[in-house]
Amino acid sequence: MDLNRLDVIFFDSRDHELIRIVNSVYDADIRPGYVRKLYYRFFHPLGIKELAESKGLHTAYAIVSLLESMERGGIENRLAALRALKDEVLDTADGPMPKNTARVLLQIMKELVRAKGNDARQLALAHTFRLAAFGKPRLVRKLLAHYHLLEMPEEWNQVTFDDHVHDANTSGRKSPTHLIMDVWIKGIRRLRVIYYHYIEPRFALELIEAAKIMEIDLRIGIEFKTRYRDRYVSFIWVSRGLTDAESFLCFLAEPHVVQFMAQGKQVLKFQEKQVLNLLQRFNEQHLKEMCRHLDIDLPPLCPEDFLNFAFPGQPCVPHLAEFIHATALEAMKKRVAELHEIFNQADETKQAQIRTRMEQMDQFHVKQILDTYLIPGQHPDIFESFITADDPDLPARLKLTHIQFLESIGQLLCDFRITLKLDNLAAEDVLEILYESKGLVTRLEIINLKNFVSGKTDHLFAVNELQKAINGNSLLKLKRQVRQIISRVQKSAPPDHGDQLVKLYPILYDIDALKNMYASYPLKSRLGSDSTGKSHQTYGMGFGIINTLPFRAQKQIHTQKKDRLILPANISVSQQMTAVSTEKMHRFFQWILSVLQWLPGLDQIRFVKKKEWVFESFSLDMKKKGNVVTLGGMQKQNTNGLLPEEDLSGIRKTSLFRIWKNLNTKLKNSLKITLGFIPAFVCFFLTKDWWFLAWFGAFIWFGITGFRVVLQSVLGGGGLKRSSLTKWNNYVSWDRLTDALFFTGFSVPLLDWLVKTTLLDNTLGINTHTSPLALYAVMGLVNGLYLSAHNAFRGLPKGMVTGNFFRSILSIPVALAFNTAIGGILFFFNVPGVDAVLQKWAAIISKAASDTVAGVIEGAVDRFQNLNLRKRDVKKKFTDLFDTYAKLEMLFPETEELKILEKPEALFASRNAEVKDLAVMVIIHSLDLFYFWMYQPRARMTILDMVSRLTPEERTIFFQSQHILVHEQHISRLFVDGILGRHFSRPLSFYLTTYPKYLASIEREAHAFVEP
């Protein structure tokens, strides 16, 4: 079937526009005009640039700009794109699940970018992106599950972490900014990024700034290897007290630190030499074997090509395996193309052989290279991490013992933490190192996920028992643990057990000193995934404590056990709640609390401001599962994409959900209304003997529902005091309206036929004549249950589900009032058979009462939500405006304060480029506030309220900044020059026709605020 024909049925024009934006960012020839504009990122996402591009499109643009900058941009571009992304997506997502919605949008956009070239898949993903942008909980949860993401609490207070990950500057795949974005998508709140032997300042700067933007608790660690007996052990050094990028960069610039890092560079150069030797050995011994196995031809691999492939990372064995795989993949693609031509002309036997060969190539992956050709045992003369070698070129750093290293690193910074990695270390080794470190080692990487999954777990329980004994209060338990370790060494008799026993026995006589080393700072545990973002790893990064996640996420973890790994670690946490100070409450609530302060337990029902989880204890039991789960799911078997692909568009699949999801929006909304209207019309037509109700009852029922949605939207958006530029239909969510009409149609046979007629009237004899209270009470209760049921089905928040049940109960007295009023009117006009008429209209009366109550209550809820959103938006704009003005004041030290904006013409004509830029930024902030005032729901009330709370100086700055909008010629030139891109006609027209009216309103308010 032709995809273009399907577009009319299945997709929207905005889906194609979204794809155009995505692809244009990656096409240097047809980029949008505003891509590299200097000022675009200073506009608020919900401000005047909404007139230039729809929110969905400039949200998509922000995401794609970040993804593009990760591939081709510099550090500053990546950080600027990340800031724009946070403003556009994370701070303005819609729906009851804004953070989870933002996570889904980011993930879909990543897939959309990767699908470039596959038009059908891009179209399906673009449509899904626009659907997800509405923030419907049911769809958001489906997409979270599809992308193997766990739902996170919207309070964003989950305990999620990873104490060991890598970025592209070491052995990872992602740039620091890309890594931080993916960390946020995973829901991780605490992160430790590890570098090998040294770190460049520019890498640290990008990582710290990116984490600050996304509000992630970041620690940067440096891993060092030192000699311990016949092998190397690893320590991870983490600084403390360096709270921002500036302090960390100053630390790295200190002479003794520069010298220390230079020694680390020597280690990496030595490692590079060893990896290049391994590449040469592969060319000599394994390349021909691999080519025979894959039926391909490859020349010897070039060392320069490998170094370019690994850049900017540090050359290592995993990088070498990936380079070999990437080179072989290009040859395999050519060979597969040749085999395709042979396949069509071959007999069945030959076709089976070709198919087997192609499957073999398709399943050839990096792990196979590591396990087959790059095993350390095959190359004993080449340096390997855990076996020391006598090499004349061995750097001085690698000649240090662990004692010498710990002594030297203590001179770097006064406040730091050191973690001991447990790779190939038994409990006796850990005990010896801890004692000789004299308390400098304060952390144990008790679980390294890469080693844990590969089965290297025999030593963990014994090490954890030692750790608990050291941190415990009993010297007897610690002595028992030390004796058990010594006894185990004596029985196992390792090659160096004699020397080790000489080290362990003195510890037994110095137990008190060992315990005192950790009296002030307990020996803590660290859990790390050691993730590099490579596809050949089983699990991705991130861990979460199960009981800090939402109920649905917990249920998903326990029901889909194969998808994630529950570790045998148990971290006990308790919830801590912070109540709002009474001084910050509304006066009405302060009065209520003062009146009811004598009630016992009143403190327990105060308004909660924040909920946090507090760490209590850690334990490890290898025999049972704990409460720590991996956030990354089990990855499916990776293939090279060499076999013919199945149709990925999602259009031709028989899944009803996929077909419905990809329908054109207008067609889908029409179908929703039709599917809801059919049962309503059939019920009225078949059960009513009065022609008017039979033919028009369904229309009346739908009209009541529509009135409720409109009433709710208008009351929430602005009521009777809304801006003259916003009409009532600007506030109506048509998607919400069609959903309501769909579900309300099925309530007609439920309430009118089943409950009112069959159950109450025919069975129990309850009607408007015998017991109107019982009639409307039962109908209200059933309607409440139905509303709560379909709200729960749609995945709406529990508060909304519960509220819709109780609002139906509140509608009972309203229904009685309507019934009485209508009965009185009918009686006044001498209409015969009033009770019979009321009985026929009882379901509609109950529906009208319920929807009237719902419209008022939900409208009030929307009003509070809009007020909170406007407070957030206006507060950000005020902060940006005052920061910009402060910079202007610094550039004019001799000018009297609060006089700079009185003559903005001087700023426009200044020869100082920075002054001109700041003047433009003042205009931008003023335009956004102007747009808020005229268009955004409840913005006018919010701005005036916040202005009343400003200091006199801040108030003066605000009014002066708004007066800058009178400079029509200068601002119009900015629009024409592309400050908002090519589509500037609507915002320019809005500005020119409306700013006089806005400034007149602002002028009146300024006079009102003048102090007597």
Side-chain angles (χ1 to χ4, degrees), residues 106-329:
L106 288 173
Q107 187 62 39
I108 295 174
M109 189 55 67
K110 287 171 58 180
E111 298 290 325
L112 185 59
V113 170
R114 293 188 188 122
K116 190 174 186 291
N118 188 337
D119 296 339
R121 180 160 175 76
Q122 273 199 313
L123 199 54
L125 287 168
H127 193 73
T128 303
F129 178 89
R130 292 184 54 251
L131 291 177
F134 287 109
K136 291 185 177 180
R138 185 173 178 82
L139 178 59
V140 170
R141 291 190 176 106
K142 276 183 176 292
L143 292 171
L144 286 171
H146 175 74
Y147 290 113
H148 303 286
L149 298 172
L150 288 173
E151 180 184 344
M152 295 294 162
E154 287 301 320
E155 297 88 348
W156 210 247
N157 61 350
Q158 71 275 8
V159 180
T160 48
F161 58 92
D162 197 329
D163 294 321
H164 193 149
V165 299
H166 299 278
D167 65 12
N169 300 307
T170 52
S171 59
R173 179 177 60 87
K174 304 168 184 175
S175 69
T177 303
H178 190 178
L179 174 67
I180 292 298
M181 182 187 75
D182 279 2
V183 162
W184 194 90
I185 292 174
K186 286 276 189 181
I188 299 171
R189 297 181 62 219
R190 192 190 78 196
L191 184 71
R192 191 166 65 164
V193 181
I194 307 301
Y195 289 83
Y196 296 127
H197 298 288
Y198 94 109
I199 180 173
E200 286 195 20
R202 58 194 178 101
F203 300 156
L205 171 65
E206 180 178 2
L207 195 58
I208 294 171
E209 287 298 320
K212 181 181 178 182
I213 292 170
M214 302 304 291
E215 299 177 3
I216 291 172
D217 182 10
L218 174 73
R219 293 284 187 273
I220 295 178
I222 305 177
E223 182 175 336
F224 301 97
K225 295 185 183 299
T226 65
R227 283 180 178 265
Y228 172 73
R229 301 191 176 280
D230 61 344
R231 58 191 183 277
Y232 282 94
V233 295
S234 296
F235 296 93
I236 298 174
W237 178 88
V238 179
S239 66
R240 302 299 291 267
L242 305 178
T243 56
D244 53 24
E246 183 178 358
S247 59
F248 198 91
L249 294 179
C250 290
F251 162 74
L252 292 178
E254 294 182 10
H256 70 287
V257 178
V258 172
Q259 182 180 0
F260 190 88
M261 294 298 173
Q263 295 175 356
K265 288 185 179 181
Q266 294 176 3
V267 174
L268 295 178
K269 283 292 182 183
F270 179 76
Q271 174 182 301
E272 179 181 315
K273 171 188 170 184
Q274 301 302 324
V275 175
L276 291 177
N277 289 340
L278 186 58
L279 172 58
Q280 181 180 352
R281 185 68 54 81
F282 173 82
N283 283 332
E284 296 170 354
Q285 297 183 359
H286 301 297
L287 180 60
K288 292 182 179 179
E289 177 188 347
M290 185 187 75
C291 289
R292 283 195 304 270
H293 173 71
L294 297 175
D295 191 23
I296 59 175
D297 293 319
L298 281 177
L301 304 183
C302 176
E304 288 76 14
D305 291 342
F306 165 63
L307 293 177
N308 291 332
F309 176 85
F311 182 83
Q314 300 164 356
C316 57
V317 175
H319 272 149
L320 178 57
E322 291 159 18
F323 173 67
I324 295 171
H325 178 266
T327 307
L329 182 59

Side-chain angles (χ1 to χ4, degrees), residues 434-546:
L434 291 177
Y435 181 74
E436 293 180 339
S437 72
K438 299 179 181 178
L440 287 178
V441 175
T442 56
R443 308 283 192 273
L444 297 178
E445 191 175 72
I446 201 72
I447 289 181
N448 181 293
L449 190 59
K450 191 184 297 184
N451 295 333
F452 186 89
V453 171
S454 63
K456 301 176 182 178
T457 61
D458 295 340
H459 60 298
L460 294 183
F461 182 74
V463 172
N464 184 239
E465 289 298 308
L466 172 63
Q467 179 187 11
K468 288 193 291 186
I470 291 175
N471 291 334
N473 298 320
S474 174
L475 281 173
L476 295 178
K477 289 183 179 179
L478 180 56
K479 178 181 178 181
R480 186 183 305 119
Q481 283 297 318
V482 175
R483 286 176 56 83
Q484 289 176 355
I485 289 172
I486 293 174
S487 175
R488 190 160 54 245
V489 173
Q490 291 173 332
K491 293 178 181 178
S492 61
D496 60 348
H497 78 286
D499 180 56
Q500 190 161 38
L501 287 174
V502 172
K503 295 288 187 71
L504 294 177
Y505 271 116
I507 301 176
L508 192 59
Y509 289 90
D510 202 14
I511 291 288
D512 190 52
L514 174 63
K515 186 164 185 59
N516 288 335
M517 292 177 189
Y518 298 95
S520 300
Y521 297 98
L523 184 61
K524 296 183 178 180
S525 299
R526 288 290 176 261
L527 284 73
S529 65
D530 207 356
S531 171
T532 59
K534 306 294 176 64
S535 60
H536 59 268
Q537 292 185 328
T538 305
Y539 291 96
M541 62 182 168
F543 304 93
I545 298 180
I546 296 176

Side-chain angles (χ1 to χ4, degrees), residues 212 252 320 366 453 637 821 887 898 922:
K212 181 181 178 182
L252 292 178
L320 178 57
V366 174
V453 171
Q637 180 67 39
K887 293 176 183 177
L898 303 180
V922 171

Side-chain angles (χ1 to χ4, degrees), residues 932-943:
F932 288 167
W933 180 281
M934 303 305 296
Y935 270 109
Q936 291 296 353
R938 301 289 175 180
R940 184 174 298 189
M941 178 192 305
T942 304
I943 291 175

Side-chain angles (χ1 to χ4, degrees), residues 741-756:
L741 293 176
F742 172 76
F743 284 102
T744 197
F746 292 94
S747 68
V748 175
L750 173 67
L751 295 176
D752 188 77
W753 174 73
L754 182 62
V755 176
K756 187 199 76 172

Side-chain angles (χ1 to χ4, degrees), residues 812-843:
I812 295 173
V814 179
L816 286 173
F818 283 0
N819 184 81
T820 304
I822 294 172
I825 294 172
L826 294 176
F827 181 78
F828 179 79
F829 287 101
N830 295 318
V831 176
V834 173
D835 290 336
V837 174
L838 291 175
Q839 178 66 16
K840 292 176 181 179
W841 288 81

Side-chain angles (χ1 to χ4, degrees), residues 445-653:
E445 191 175 72
I446 201 72
I447 289 181
N448 181 293
L449 190 59
K450 191 184 297 184
N451 295 333
F452 186 89
V453 171
S454 63
K456 301 176 182 178
T457 61
D458 295 340
H459 60 298
L460 294 183
F461 182 74
V463 172
N464 184 239
E465 289 298 308
L466 172 63
Q467 179 187 11
K468 288 193 291 186
I470 291 175
N471 291 334
N473 298 320
S474 174
L475 281 173
L476 295 178
K477 289 183 179 179
L478 180 56
K479 178 181 178 181
R480 186 183 305 119
Q481 283 297 318
V482 175
R483 286 176 56 83
Q484 289 176 355
I485 289 172
I486 293 174
S487 175
R488 190 160 54 245
V489 173
Q490 291 173 332
K491 293 178 181 178
S492 61
D496 60 348
H497 78 286
D499 180 56
Q500 190 161 38
L501 287 174
V502 172
K503 295 288 187 71
L504 294 177
Y505 271 116
I507 301 176
L508 192 59
Y509 289 90
D510 202 14
I511 291 288
D512 190 52
L514 174 63
K515 186 164 185 59
N516 288 335
M517 292 177 189
Y518 298 95
S520 300
Y521 297 98
L523 184 61
K524 296 183 178 180
S525 299
R526 288 290 176 261
L527 284 73
S529 65
D530 207 356
S531 171
T532 59
K534 306 294 176 64
S535 60
H536 59 268
Q537 292 185 328
T538 305
Y539 291 96
M541 62 182 168
F543 304 93
I545 298 180
I546 296 176
N547 47 304
T548 69
L549 302 178
F551 171 76
R552 284 186 175 88
Q554 297 183 37
K555 183 179 178 181
Q556 180 183 344
I557 292 168
H558 292 301
T559 54
Q560 301 175 3
K561 297 181 180 178
K562 294 182 180 180
D563 292 345
R564 287 179 172 79
L565 179 65
I566 300 178
L567 300 175
N570 193 77
I571 301 178
S572 298
V573 291
S574 59
Q575 194 173 61
Q576 176 178 291
M577 299 186 183
T578 304
V580 176
S581 171
T582 55
E583 296 178 356
K584 297 182 179 180
M585 292 182 181
H586 193 276
R587 291 181 180 178
F588 175 73
F589 294 114
Q590 290 183 18
W591 177 79
I592 291 178
L593 288 176
S594 64
V595 171
L596 302 177
Q597 61 182 347
W598 56 271
L599 287 174
L602 182 64
D603 292 341
Q604 303 300 318
I605 60 173
R606 279 189 175 184
F607 297 97
V608 175
K609 182 179 182 181
K610 186 168 57 174
K611 295 180 181 178
E612 296 176 310
W613 294 94
V614 180
F615 171 82
E616 290 187 348
S617 64
F618 175 90
S619 62
L620 194 70
D621 189 343
M622 301 302 295
K623 297 181 181 179
K624 62 181 182 180
K625 295 180 179 180
N627 69 339
V628 179
V629 66
T630 58
L631 297 182
M634 175 73 74
Q635 296 186 3
K636 298 179 180 179
Q637 180 67 39
N638 293 303
T639 62
N640 294 316
L642 300 177
L643 299 180
E645 293 186 3
E646 299 294 332
D647 177 41
L648 296 175
S649 67
I651 301 172
R652 302 178 180 89
K653 294 186 180 290

